[in-house]
Amino acid sequence: TDDGSDTGEPRAGVEFVLSIPVKGMERIVTDVGGTSGKWGSKFTVDHDNEREEGESGATSSTADMSSLSNRQKKKLKRQQLATGVPGLVPVPFGYASDDDPAGNCFAIQGTCAHLKCRTYAVVSEPSNVIDNDHHLVCASVVEAFCHSSYWDNERKLFRPDSCSVPPYLTFFGAQQFGYVSCCGD
């Protein structure tokens, strides 16, 4: 929902979707988190024309990376991700059909659950703001979707229903993940 503000600043009343990733999506999660959206779309599909014209980001082998400083590595990563995060693909919220889109909200392909949220406050007091690029957003879940393989209907629990589906990820920070599974692994 739009409140009529064109400032680009975070505001209340905006809807967004949180997508719950599964094992195997760790690189996508860290690349998305390490890429600023203020420089353009994180989705490769939005940059397909650029790639066709030969304007794709620079590439480098792992051997080249080892001789670079941290600052150079960050710059190279930014260049590599300038045309989007590989593997990041938008899908309709709740895997709705293309004939029945869920407004302008979308989820991420390969995720096991989607939470549509609506912001009700954005913390903007200088003492509580992390920095000028990050904001504390307060939101409530207004709609949810869970793939049937991750819902225990008997206990009303969100969890993988068998060892045959990948565990879902929890993010501990500092590029560390936890895995939630119904198995003992």
Side-chain angles (χ1 to χ4, degrees), residues 13-179:
V14 174
E15 290 185 344
F16 63 93
V17 174
L18 294 175
S19 296
I20 310 300
V22 297
K23 187 174 185 176
M25 297 182 76
E26 296 87 346
R27 180 64 184 257
I28 293 172
V29 172
T30 56
D31 284 351
V32 166
T35 306
S36 174
K38 71 180 177 182
W39 305 115
S41 176
K42 296 181 185 187
F43 294 99
T44 56
V45 69
D46 294 334
H47 300 279
D48 284 346
N49 290 339
E50 294 170 13
R51 252 190 234 95
E52 288 172 9
E53 295 168 7
E55 297 177 15
S56 63
T59 58
S60 176
S61 70
T62 308
D64 295 334
M65 294 287 281
S66 64
S67 63
L68 300 176
S69 69
N70 284 341
R71 187 177 193 171
Q72 291 169 319
K73 287 177 187 176
K74 279 185 177 182
K75 183 177 179 182
L76 183 58
K77 183 177 178 183
R78 227 180 0 257
Q79 290 171 341
Q80 289 172 329
L81 297 175
T83 56
V85 174
L88 185 66
V89 178
V91 295
F93 172 80
Y95 298 108
S97 73
D98 290 333
D99 299 334
D100 184 27
N104 61 355
C105 288
F106 57 86
I108 303 302
Q109 184 178 50
T111 57
C112 63
H114 314 149
L115 304 173
K116 185 188 286 187
C117 304
R118 183 175 299 123
T119 60
Y120 60 85
V122 178
V123 176
S124 59
E125 295 84 38
S127 61
N128 294 323
V129 173
I130 298 167
D131 60 34
N132 289 334
D133 294 327
H134 298 87
H135 303 274
L136 179 59
V137 176
C138 302
S140 56
V141 175
V142 295
E143 192 175 346
F145 164 82
C146 181
H147 190 280
S148 60
S149 297
Y150 290 85
W151 184 250
D152 181 340
N153 202 36
E154 184 178 309
R155 293 189 176 109
K156 306 295 186 214
L157 290 174
F158 171 59
R159 68 177 189 169
D161 69 357
S162 74
C163 294
S164 65
V165 296
Y168 67 86
L169 301 180
T170 60
F171 187 63
F172 296 142
Q175 300 185 359
Q176 298 294 309
F177 295 92
Y179 301 93

